[in-house]
Amino acid sequence: MRQITVTEHLILHQKKSPAATGMFTGLLHDLILAAKLITRNVSSAGLLDVLGGTGEINVQGEAVQKLDDFANRVLIHRMERSGALCMMASEEIADIIPVPSRFTRGDYVLIFDPLDGSSNIDVNINTGTIFSILRRRTPASQDPSIDDALQAGMHQVAAGYILYGPSTMLVYTTGQGVHGFTLDPSVGEFLLSHPNMQIPEQGKIYSVNEGNYLHWDNTTQNIVNYFKSKDNAIGSPYSMRYVGSLVADFHRTLLYGGIFMYPMDHRSPEKPRGKLRLLCEASPLSFVAEQAGGAATDGLKRILEIEPTSLHERVPLFIGSRNDVEVVNKFYAGAM
Ligand code: AHM
Ligand code: MG
């Protein structure tokens, strides 16, 4: 069987889209190389001295894992040399990361969560890298600024993730469908294994940390109760699955359908908030979901239309099969 490598696939798509440039293809190529380096360490997690925390607390107030830190450093080191980027932003770093002027700067901005689900590393559960690529909007003659990162998700030119699981997978979109590649470790190449991925229109799995039930508002509780009841679209309770690694939960949702939820949390009533970050988690996965025929909302608004106001802004997220996400919109609109 003829196997298409991710590089061949990128070149093919570059030819199809006049907007695509060699610079952009090179950018994705460098990102893939960084992913391979991260894979190597993640898959040796029990053997190398890479488990556990660094003793530091990141900008999100969470303990930094050694592998978080490694993945973050690999991405910054590789990508600032790609020649395609002017700036990056990472879940692990408080401010924007302009590409130093000693390197060639390009027009693109890369935002990433270097190792999503890292609290699961020590127990050998899937983690992932999530990425979002935007085109800068300030003039190339100026230094890049935070405005280049604070763009609604609908302006992304590419997005996707690398899932470090039983096998390593790359799933990405450039706005021409969603394509999945599996890393063949014997040749070190990502091979096209899931062309044109589509989320089933109607799911039968819900995915949420239900331990937070008491911290949700009534509408959110009613939404989850709906999925568990017999009086829903499929006439029987949905199954529940929750890994606790967003990339893994999203990947299952992409393949099997259903809905992943991380709703607004009212545990501190004066400051209710979602947990997941708009720019490095919700936006890129929402672009993938929509390109696969699914949907994503914060309950009131399509995620891709939210105008970000800060780099590490958090949002409630409901993402997956179109019909299931529509149920959420209807509940919040008071129509169910
Ligand atoms: P992280 O990016 O620091 O790993 O945190 C995000 C993770 C997601 O992967 C996952 O969906 C969520 O946090 C799980 O949160 P909880 O443990 O509250 O259910
Ligand atoms: Mg994360």
Side-chain angles (χ1 to χ4, degrees):
M1 187 180 95
R2 164 100 172 90
Q3 296 201 298
I4 299 178
T5 68
V6 66
T7 312
E8 288 173 319
H9 193 263
L10 282 169
I11 292 168
L12 200 71
H13 274 242
Q14 187 186 324
K15 281 190 192 139
K16 276 194 210 159
S17 158
T21 61
M23 183 186 277
F24 179 70
T25 305
L27 163 58
L28 283 175
H29 190 264
D30 284 336
L31 194 59
I32 289 162
L33 179 57
K36 287 182 191 170
L37 294 167
I38 297 169
T39 301
R40 192 180 59 190
N41 272 35
V42 168
S43 59
S44 320
L47 302 170
L48 305 174
D49 178 28
V50 290
L51 290 180
T54 61
E56 287 160 27
I57 300 294
N58 72 7
V59 56
Q60 317 284 347
E62 299 151 349
V64 178
Q65 303 292 314
K66 286 184 194 166
L67 274 169
D68 265 333
D69 185 48
F70 172 79
N72 193 45
R73 281 187 290 115
V74 165
L75 281 160
I76 293 173
H77 180 87
R78 285 241 59 89
M79 300 314 296
E80 67 187 3
R81 288 163 174 75
S82 77
L85 297 177
C86 59
M87 193 183 94
M88 288 176 269
S90 162
E91 186 195 294
E92 297 295 330
I93 308 241
D95 295 321
I96 54 168
I97 313 162
V99 169
S101 52
R102 66 179 183 281
F103 298 124
T104 307
R105 282 178 173 172
D107 289 338
Y108 294 99
V109 174
L110 172 67
I111 305 179
F112 55 88
D113 179 352
L115 204 59
D116 175 68
S118 54
S119 61
N120 278 326
I121 296 168
D122 287 3
V123 285
N124 206 4
I125 286 177
N126 301 1
T127 53
T129 298
I130 309 175
F131 61 90
S132 162
I133 299 172
L134 297 156
R135 205 184 279 277
R136 73 178 294 173
R137 53 183 183 188
T138 56
S141 53
Q142 290 175 11
D143 273 339
S145 79
I146 191 163
D147 289 341
D148 293 311
L150 299 184
Q151 300 188 45
M154 65 171 119
H155 300 302
Q156 291 171 103
V157 292
Y161 57 88
I162 297 112
L163 171 67
Y164 310 110
S167 54
T168 298
M169 275 198 74
L170 163 72
V171 174
Y172 83 93
T173 182
T174 54
Q176 299 178 58
V178 177
H179 308 286
F181 300 80
T182 303
L183 181 64
D184 180 339
S186 64
V187 290
E189 280 282 7
F190 281 98
L191 302 175
L192 182 62
S193 51
H194 296 66
N196 292 315
M197 299 172 87
Q198 288 288 317
I199 302 185
E201 197 177 353
Q202 170 67 55
K204 44 188 181 185
I205 299 173
Y206 76 100
S207 181
V208 69
N209 183 346
E210 215 163 339
N212 291 333
Y213 190 88
L214 290 179
H215 302 305
W216 298 334
D217 59 30
N218 282 343
T219 306
T220 309
Q221 292 175 340
N222 289 339
I223 289 168
V224 173
N225 289 337
Y226 166 89
F227 288 123
K228 300 198 306 189
S229 80
K230 290 202 277 36
D231 305 317
N232 58 28
I234 62 169
S236 66
Y238 283 39
S239 285
M240 205 288 273
R241 297 280 183 277
Y242 191 72
V243 177
S245 275
L246 175 61
V247 175
D249 281 314
F250 177 77
H251 189 65
R252 181 198 57 250
T253 306
L254 179 60
L255 291 175
Y256 292 169
I259 184 163
F260 171 86
M261 304 177 260
Y262 211 110
M264 177 85 81
D265 189 319
H266 294 262
R267 80 184 69 200
S268 91
E270 65 290 347
K271 208 179 159 200
R273 64 171 198 182
K275 174 177 184 185
L276 300 174
R277 296 78 173 178
L278 175 59
L279 289 176
C280 66
E281 296 178 319
S283 261
L285 296 186
S286 298
F287 189 21
V288 173
E290 287 201 4
Q291 282 293 314
T297 179
D298 69 354
L300 302 172
K301 202 166 183 181
R302 183 178 162 226
I303 294 286
L304 293 184
E305 288 176 15
I306 298 175
E307 292 289 342
T309 54
S310 69
L311 206 50
H312 295 283
E313 173 172 345
R314 297 172 190 250
V315 280
L317 176 64
F318 301 86
I319 189 167
S321 294
R322 189 191 290 262
N323 290 355
D324 294 325
V325 173
E326 193 47 33
V327 163
V328 172
N329 286 328
K330 283 190 179 151
F331 265 100
Y332 282 113
M336 274 182 90

